[in-house]
Amino acid sequence: MSTSHDGLCGIGELAERAGVTVKTVRFYSDNGLLPEASRSAGGHRRYGRDALDRLRLIRSLRALDLPLPAVRRVLDAEDGAGGVLEDVVAGQLRELGSRLTALRWREAALRLVQECPPGERADRLRLVGAVTAPPSTAPLARFWRGWLPSRMPARATAAFLEAAVPPPPDDPGPAQVLAFARLNDLVLRPCPGDEQPQPEAHRATGARGAAVLYAGLAEAYELAGAQLRQDRPPHPGEALDGFVAAYASAYGARDTPDFRRLLARQLAADPRIDRYWELVAEVITPPGGRTEPTPGSAHDWLLAALDAQTAAAAA
């Protein structure tokens, strides 16, 4: 790299060979990324034979927008930078993905405001302004944790939250942004009497029984969801049997015609959160896509099947 008798080169020569400014070389040196070999009698920086390759590597890493601490990790790696470089690049890709998702949410929110009627803009600004980009699902999870029976096993709670809390889409349309903002507003709104309505099953089965109940319901909802995707009307079958069996197991009862009639009446009287599930369907359904089943729509399908069955048996 240098024609100097000691094999070293000055900062100006190094900068010229690397195609950067002297200020850039000085910056990397001052931050410990490009060590100096020595100083001249006049106090000028001198660099060794490997400085040019190191500087070029620094430039390549910075061109990938890696922050200085990440660049330092790669340069200081003892294994030739292979494993460390892979980890650093993977981390940068995750961060970039999060930033891109945030930008897509902001773009969709701007389109939502731009395209809505002038009389609705103030309300939509209020709704989207209360949601981060990308949005957090923490308020939704808190809503359901307050609704579920206390002391319900953590694994059962986590499984329910996975089904009940929709993941925000990475590339949403304006309608999905609006639906999520409305969902966020819904769960943050105070409940009448400061207490969420509870279904009878929560009081009758307790925390352990509720865990059994929701495990069975998850399987029944999945089966009903397959029927919904095929546009099949509510009917008796495996999904309904699993639905009733979940309640029977939680209550310690037998699945009999009398039990089914009592269950149909109880479920008809239970509090409903229809608006929540309507909004969830809007969040998870891509623009122009087919409406995806939710636990709420699966529950309605199963309840309709149960009502039809008990009505037919009574007739």
Side-chain angles (χ1 to χ4, degrees):
M1 181 181 71
S2 172
T3 56
S4 170
H5 70 279
D6 57 4
L8 304 180
C9 75
I11 190 171
E13 182 182 354
L14 178 60
E16 182 179 358
R17 287 177 175 269
V20 300
T21 64
V22 169
K23 182 179 179 181
T24 297
V25 178
R26 186 178 295 115
F27 174 79
Y28 291 143
S29 292
D30 291 344
N31 281 275
L33 300 178
L34 189 66
E36 306 162 16
S38 65
R39 292 264 180 151
S40 68
H44 299 293
R45 304 172 196 242
R46 307 283 286 171
Y47 295 91
R49 296 180 183 277
D50 62 345
L52 180 58
D53 288 340
R54 188 177 178 93
L55 181 55
R56 284 171 173 164
L57 176 57
I58 293 171
R59 286 189 62 200
S60 297
L61 295 173
R62 291 292 287 162
L64 295 174
D65 202 28
L66 294 183
L68 292 182
V71 173
R72 182 176 287 107
R73 282 185 57 202
V74 175
L75 295 173
D76 293 346
E78 297 179 357
D79 61 352
V84 173
L85 178 58
E86 290 175 2
D87 291 344
V88 167
V89 169
Q92 190 70 1
L93 282 171
R94 287 192 297 271
E95 181 181 343
L96 181 60
S98 179
R99 281 158 41 194
L100 288 173
T101 300
L103 288 173
R104 294 187 190 108
W105 272 84
R106 292 193 184 108
E107 179 185 20
L110 288 169
R111 291 189 181 279
L112 173 67
V113 174
Q114 181 185 49
E115 296 167 3
C116 76
E120 298 179 13
R121 281 180 183 155
D123 185 59
R124 293 196 178 182
L125 281 171
R126 177 188 65 82
L127 288 170
V128 299
V131 178
T132 59
S136 169
T137 57
L140 280 63
R142 283 196 299 271
F143 171 83
W144 285 112
R145 288 183 186 278
W147 183 85
L148 292 169
S150 60
R151 300 181 183 177
M152 188 165 154
R155 182 176 297 180
T157 299
F160 177 85
L161 292 178
E162 185 176 355
V165 176
D170 290 336
D171 190 7
Q176 289 173 293
V177 170
L178 179 59
F180 196 96
R182 285 174 170 165
L183 197 57
N184 185 73
D185 184 65
L186 176 67
V187 300
L188 293 177
R189 197 179 304 156
C191 294
D194 295 327
E195 189 173 335
Q196 292 188 44
Q198 302 288 312
E200 180 60 31
H202 288 187
R203 291 184 287 272
T205 64
R208 294 287 176 184
V212 173
L213 172 64
Y214 285 119
L217 289 179
E219 296 179 10
Y221 291 161
E222 186 173 348
L223 292 171
Q227 302 296 312
L228 283 164
R229 290 187 182 93
Q230 298 175 33
D231 293 326
R232 299 194 63 187
H235 62 273
E238 184 182 5
L240 178 58
D241 289 344
F243 181 68
V244 175
Y247 282 98
S249 297
Y251 288 127
R254 290 192 309 114
D255 180 2
T256 65
D258 284 342
F259 178 79
R260 292 199 175 208
R261 281 193 294 272
L262 289 171
L263 180 61
R265 286 200 295 269
Q266 174 196 305
L267 295 179
D270 270 346
R272 300 178 62 85
I273 316 178
D274 292 338
R275 184 55 176 157
Y276 181 92
W277 296 117
E278 291 170 1
L279 291 170
V280 167
E282 293 178 30
V283 169
I284 65 176
T285 302
R290 181 185 179 88
T291 300
E292 282 295 311
T294 67
S297 60
H299 183 90
D300 288 346
W301 189 94
L302 290 162
L303 182 55
L306 179 60
D307 287 340
Q309 186 185 58
T310 54

